[in-house]
């Protein structure tokens, strides 16, 4: 049996982290969790996740800055990213 797919989750809200962790583990994924952009970046490089789930509203720099950094770095630029947000403004949806 191969290794479990690894999902990087960048989310600062503990209640959401708990729900996401539960669903990932129930579905057979390994979750690695960060609460801000700096930690998310460190884990993206060190953990080599298969996919990232990134919240836009984070303390300090927002999720867009992390997504831009990932897309600009050859080591991780092909990482699939799912945006997790409660923001429903048209410009967020479009981006």
């Amino acid at each position: 049996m191969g290794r479990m797919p690894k999902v990087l989750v960048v989310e600062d809200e503990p209640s959401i982290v708990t729900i996401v962790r539960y669903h990932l583990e129930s579905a057979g994924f390994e979750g690695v969790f960060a609460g801000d952009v700096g930690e998310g970046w460190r884990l993206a490089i060190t953990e080599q996740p298969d996919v990232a789930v990134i919240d836009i509203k984070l303390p300090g720099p927002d999720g867009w800055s992390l997504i831009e950094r990932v897309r600009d770095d050859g080591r991780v630029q092909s990482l699939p990213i799912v945006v997790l947000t409660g923001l429903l403004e048209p410009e967020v949806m479009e981006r």
Side-chain angles (χ1 to χ4, degrees):
M1 160 128 179
R3 72 173 183 83
M4 290 189 296
K6 188 180 292 184
V7 182
L8 168 62
V9 179
V10 186
E11 167 61 66
D12 66 309
E13 192 64 54
S15 58
I16 297 174
V17 170
T18 300
I19 293 165
V20 172
R21 182 188 307 266
Y22 172 80
H23 286 288
L24 286 177
E25 290 174 356
S26 316
F29 295 97
E30 177 186 351
V32 289
F33 295 85
D36 60 39
V37 165
E39 179 74 354
W41 174 251
R42 189 182 70 73
L43 292 174
I45 298 302
T46 60
E47 293 288 333
Q48 294 291 297
D50 298 294
V51 63
V53 178
I54 301 174
D55 185 20
I56 297 307
K57 287 186 76 166
L58 294 165
D62 69 12
W64 295 125
S65 65
L66 177 56
I67 291 168
E68 285 160 13
R69 193 166 176 188
V70 165
R71 290 293 172 246
D72 288 342
D73 191 295
R75 295 170 291 179
V76 287
Q77 68 189 169
S78 63
L79 177 67
I81 295 173
V82 177
V83 171
L84 177 70
T85 184
L87 302 172
L88 298 176
E89 287 84 18
E91 63 271 17
V92 171
M93 302 295 282
E94 187 176 318
R95 195 166 177 185

